[in-house]
Amino acid sequence: MMALHILFFQLCVCVIAFPIHILALLGLWEPMAKKWMPFLMDRITNTYNKYMREHKKQLFSNMSDFKGPSGELKVLELGCGTGANFQFYPSGCTVTCVDPNPNFKKYLSKSLAENDHVHFQDFLIAPGESMPQVASGSMDVVICTLVLCSVDNIEGILAEIRRVLKPGGAYYFLEHVTADPSSWNYFFQIILDPTWKYIGDGCKLTKETWKYLEKANFSQVKLRHITAPFKWSPIKPHIVGYAVK
């Protein structure tokens, strides 16, 4: 009976978002979404950072501990988007940005201008699962936040992260994940999931991302489950932490 209720509500959401599903079926939605996603994310990230500021400050507080012997901190950010994390990075770090969507570059430039404590190295257009432009063992830190929800091959992107990290380097993550199956939050995640992937550029609400991290062969993983302080949102459950190669 519960499965029928879920299917009914999923269909209701699909009916409301019917034009999106038709455009997706015709192959027109993804090119459109790639163009307007940076504009949308530029506005959403300001609100997200407002609520998650303390969590981000705590997460990135020890980045300087992973500086190389020369004192330089080389950072690679995957799925950099609009550069929403730059304000939390330590002064003087050198950042290489990677994103498969070239339309983010305009907004990335804006964030860099607002955060002159960050030294910009390069912007690479590539998926996180395949970054041949980045040399193996060349990065002290890799940042990847709110990205794995929309990645089909999580094992692949984690393998690439381990490849480009120096021995002893750190991978920092902040991801929304599936809710407790007994919760109302999970009920709404299941209902919204079939349509959410189009609105969120491939984002899936019900991923158990922490399981991939625990199996990724890092020497240590420091991971916490938190609830984002949003009034209501299907992405309230999060994992946050870092892993050391």
Side-chain angles (χ1 to χ4, degrees):
M1 183 62 71
M2 179 59 71
L4 289 175
H5 283 124
I6 290 173
L7 180 60
F8 171 75
F9 286 117
Q10 285 178 335
L11 289 173
C12 288
V13 174
C14 288
V15 168
I16 294 170
F18 186 69
I20 294 176
H21 286 271
I22 291 298
L23 288 170
L25 185 64
L26 296 173
L28 300 174
W29 178 255
E30 185 173 353
M32 292 170 56
K34 293 293 183 188
K35 289 184 178 180
W36 59 256
M37 181 60 72
F39 173 81
L40 180 64
M41 291 304 296
D42 187 48
R43 281 139 185 82
I44 290 177
T45 51
N46 288 330
T47 302
Y48 183 86
N49 276 348
K50 175 183 175 183
Y51 285 102
M52 298 295 288
R53 182 169 303 279
E54 291 307 314
H55 287 295
K56 282 194 172 186
K57 285 172 65 177
Q58 181 180 355
L59 171 63
F60 298 126
S61 63
N62 69 336
M63 275 179 62
S64 295
D65 293 348
F66 296 96
K67 287 180 179 180
S70 66
E72 184 182 20
L73 182 66
K74 298 183 70 174
V75 178
L76 179 72
E77 179 159 3
L78 306 185
C80 58
T82 61
N85 292 323
F86 292 164
Q87 61 185 286
F88 303 101
Y89 292 172
S91 180
C93 64
T94 301
V95 180
T96 299
C97 300
V98 177
D99 203 290
N101 187 348
N103 297 301
F104 274 112
K105 190 169 186 179
K106 170 185 173 183
Y107 297 92
L108 189 65
S109 299
K110 176 185 171 185
S111 290
L112 287 167
E114 294 171 350
N115 294 279
D116 58 6
H117 66 286
V118 172
H119 297 163
F120 176 65
Q121 182 72 33
D122 203 357
F123 175 69
L124 307 176
I125 301 171
E129 302 94 321
S130 178
M131 302 178 291
Q133 309 98 314
V134 184
S136 298
S138 61
M139 294 293 163
D140 300 302
V141 167
V142 174
I143 311 290
C144 188
T145 63
L146 300 180
V147 170
L148 299 186
C149 58
S150 57
V151 173
D152 290 329
N153 183 7
I154 295 181
E155 294 96 337
I157 197 170
L158 292 177
E160 271 291 83
I161 288 171
R162 292 186 69 253
R163 180 186 70 80
V164 303
L165 275 175
K166 295 177 180 178
Y171 156 50
Y172 287 80
F173 55 86
L174 174 68
E175 301 284 346
H176 71 80
V177 294
T178 188
D180 183 334
S182 64
S183 68
W184 279 106
N185 202 159
Y186 181 75
F187 179 73
F188 286 114
Q189 284 181 336
I190 291 291
I191 290 170
L192 293 171
D193 221 17
T195 298
W196 191 269
K197 65 181 179 181
Y198 299 120
I199 299 171
D201 196 21
C203 175
K204 185 172 177 59
L205 294 170
T206 55
K207 282 189 176 179
E208 297 177 325
T209 307
W210 64 91
K211 293 184 177 180
Y212 295 92
L213 290 166
E214 291 167 351
K215 296 177 182 178
N217 295 318
F218 287 100
S219 64
Q220 59 176 303
V221 178
K222 295 180 181 274
L223 180 153
R224 295 185 296 120
H225 288 260
I226 63 170
T227 301
F230 308 138
K231 291 182 180 178
W232 187 92
S233 171
I235 63 167
K236 290 180 73 171
H238 278 59
I239 56 169
V240 58
Y242 66 94
V244 179
K245 180 177 177 180

